[in-house]
């Protein structure tokens, strides 16, 4: 019996060695949140650079001919230097909706396909965006602290918040997530307008080509776009000034889309009314000035994570990798059209 089991184990190991390899540069958060086994497949095998003591370039060169795909997560770059070492790679699958860690032009040049998280996170992130906005306007977190600290009994009623219905909501980036935010805010009775790289066909919301003009014509600015060279610090002093003293900003995109230092200054000087932030410029480091501000609501980059969305993500990631290795269309291929 013992000999047979050993032979069986060897056969299984050999079969695993023969499978196409998918390389990981860092463990996706979902591995620890719902378990790596949720991403397992009998069609491929994960190679983890972070488990090897070899220098990265040596590790990749050693396995270059068996690595057919990259599973990208976090801020681990997938750039020209990496891709040059992996001539057999034909697809980059990412666990995120954003693609700022991936050199998209280089992938296009090499004929490498890209698949992102598609619609998996859209509903959860949109819910979070609206939740942050309501929290800032109605002072939910701030009034919770007020009650817990015994200040209601000691000092009396907490200052009033502002209603959501009737607010002019400006959405920066009307992609999958932005559109879900728009639908929710419309249901709350908000007047929605947007800025995007180009006007969306079949969308009735007013379009502003200039984000500064959008900010000047809204009460709340919700950042839903991805991070790129064009959008880095796009929300700058001029945009925040246009938003004005009664305006609030919500960011569920990427921290660096906003000039964070300028936003801190505007909040401290009362040049904007408040902020709801799930993302920050230098995560996990958050400006300490925020901690004393009752008009700022903070979340540790968790808008995308619910057990339901992570289960859907694991199925999508495995489905994309298996589809590519079977020469079938990707389930959520990224196209340059947003």
């Amino acid at each position: 019996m013992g000999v047979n089991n050993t032979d069986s184990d060897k056969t299984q190991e050999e079969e695993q060695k023969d499978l196409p390899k998918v390389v990981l540069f860092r463990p996706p958060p979902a591995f620890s949140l719902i378990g790596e086994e949720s991403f397992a497949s009998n069609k491929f095998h994960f190679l983890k650079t972070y488990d090897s003591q070899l220098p990265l370039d040596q590790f990749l060169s050693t396995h270059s001919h068996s690595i057919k795909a990259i599973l990208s997560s976090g801020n681990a770059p997938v750039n020209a230097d990496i891709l040059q070492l992996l001539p057999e790679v034909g697809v980059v699958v990412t666990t995120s909706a954003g693609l700022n860690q991936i050199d998209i032009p280089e992938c296009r040049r090499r004929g490498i396909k890209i698949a992102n998280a598609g619609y998996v996170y859209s509903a959860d992130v949109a819910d979070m965006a609206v939740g942050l906005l309501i929290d800032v306007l109605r002072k939910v977190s701030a009034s919770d602290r007020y009650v817990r600290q015994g200040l209601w009994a000691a000092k009396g009623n907490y200052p009033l918040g502002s209603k959501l219905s009737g607010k002019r909501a400006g959405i920066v980036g009307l992609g999958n997530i932005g559109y879900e935010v728009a639908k929710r805010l419309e249901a709350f009775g908000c007047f929605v307008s947007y800025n995007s790289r180009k006007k969306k066909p079949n969308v009735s919301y007013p379009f502003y080509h200039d984000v500064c003009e959008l900010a000047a014509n809204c009460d709340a600015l919700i950042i839903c776009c991805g991070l790129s060279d064009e959008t880095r610090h796009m929300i700058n002093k001029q945009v925040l000034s246009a938003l004005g003293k009664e305006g609030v900003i919500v960011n569920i995109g990427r921290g660096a889309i906003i000039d964070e230092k300028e936003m801190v200054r505007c909040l401290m000087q009362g040049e904007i009314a408040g902020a709801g932030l799930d993302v920050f410029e230098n995560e996990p480091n958050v400006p300490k000035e925020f901690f004393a501000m009752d008009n700022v609501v903070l979340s540790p980059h968790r808008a995308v994570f619910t057990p339901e969305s992570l289960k859907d993500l694991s199925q999508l990631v495995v489905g994309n990798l298996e589809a590519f290795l079977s020469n079938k269309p990707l389930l959520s291929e990224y196209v340059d059209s947003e």
Side-chain angles (χ1 to χ4, degrees):
M1 289 293 290
V3 174
N4 289 337
N5 283 339
T6 302
D7 289 343
S8 175
D9 289 343
K10 284 184 178 178
T11 302
Q12 190 174 14
E13 288 177 9
E14 288 170 359
E15 286 177 356
Q16 200 174 62
K17 286 180 181 179
D18 291 337
L19 289 175
K21 302 301 186 295
V22 177
V23 70
L24 291 87
F25 299 107
R26 66 176 56 182
F31 274 23
S32 60
L33 293 170
I34 62 171
E36 184 179 337
E37 63 276 6
S38 300
F39 293 81
S41 170
N42 60 6
K43 301 288 180 64
F44 58 82
H45 175 60
F46 287 129
L47 271 184
K48 303 165 186 172
T49 63
Y50 49 88
D51 282 348
S52 173
Q53 294 183 343
L54 290 175
L56 180 59
D57 57 349
Q58 188 177 340
F59 179 89
L60 295 179
S61 297
T62 301
H63 298 282
S64 62
H65 293 292
S66 62
I67 296 174
K68 307 298 181 184
I70 296 171
L71 178 55
S72 169
S73 68
N75 295 320
V78 179
N79 53 30
D81 292 337
I82 294 291
L83 295 173
Q84 186 176 356
L85 297 171
L86 300 172
E88 300 296 320
V89 162
V91 69
V92 178
V93 176
T94 177
T95 59
S96 63
L99 299 170
N100 51 289
Q101 79 276 21
I102 298 171
D103 188 335
I104 296 174
E106 184 65 16
C107 287
R108 297 298 187 226
R109 190 181 74 80
R110 292 176 175 271
I112 296 172
K113 296 179 178 181
I114 300 171
N116 66 356
Y119 293 91
V120 164
Y121 298 131
S122 299
D124 288 334
V125 178
D127 289 348
M128 186 69 160
V130 175
L132 287 169
L133 180 57
I134 292 173
D135 196 332
V136 174
L137 291 175
R138 296 303 303 269
K139 307 180 187 297
V140 179
S141 293
S143 58
D144 175 82
R145 290 191 295 271
Y146 190 79
V147 173
R148 290 176 188 273
Q149 292 167 9
L151 298 176
W152 188 14
K155 293 189 175 182
N157 290 329
Y158 193 73
L160 297 177
S162 177
K163 73 186 296 182
L164 176 59
S165 177
K167 288 289 189 292
R168 300 170 300 161
I171 296 175
V172 180
L174 200 70
N176 297 339
I177 293 169
Y179 188 63
E180 290 296 321
V181 173
K183 289 195 298 183
R184 284 156 174 74
L185 291 177
E186 196 172 24
F188 273 101
C190 294
F191 300 98
V192 175
S193 56
Y194 75 100
N195 162 269
S196 219
R197 285 191 289 195
K198 56 185 178 181
K199 194 175 188 295
K200 303 289 183 180
N202 305 317
V203 170
S204 60
Y205 307 129
F207 169 72
Y208 289 89
H209 179 74
D210 180 62
V211 70
C212 207
E213 188 179 356
L214 174 69
N217 286 278
C218 69
D219 306 301
L221 196 64
I222 299 104
I223 312 303
C224 302
C225 61
L227 178 63
S228 65
D229 291 340
E230 291 74 26
T231 63
R232 184 177 296 275
H233 284 192
M234 175 174 66
I235 308 303
N236 55 22
K237 180 179 180 178
Q238 289 71 31
V239 175
L240 293 169
S241 295
L243 183 60
K245 293 183 178 182
E246 302 299 319
V248 301
I249 191 164
V250 170
N251 192 3
I252 45 80
R254 286 289 187 271
I257 295 168
I258 301 176
D259 183 338
E260 197 167 75
K261 289 183 179 179
E262 186 60 32
M263 177 172 57
V264 168
R265 188 195 65 78
C266 287
L267 286 162
M268 292 183 69
Q269 297 187 6
E271 294 181 15
I272 61 174
L277 308 170
D278 182 59
V279 289
F280 305 89
E281 195 158 357
N282 297 296
E283 296 175 3
N285 301 307
V286 176
K288 291 181 173 57
E289 293 90 340
F290 287 151
F291 300 161
M293 296 181 183
D294 278 339
N295 59 338
V296 176
V297 179
L298 307 173
S299 169
H301 203 154
R302 278 296 178 265
V304 300
F305 294 133
T306 64
E308 297 87 352
S309 68
L310 290 173
K311 180 180 178 183
D312 291 342
L313 174 68
S314 67
Q315 294 172 350
L316 182 65
V317 165
V318 172
N320 272 315
L321 290 169
E322 290 184 348
F324 171 75
L325 295 170
S326 302
N327 293 314
K328 295 178 180 178
L330 297 176
L331 304 183
S332 60
E333 182 168 3
Y334 172 77
V335 292
D336 306 321
S337 60
E338 186 179 315

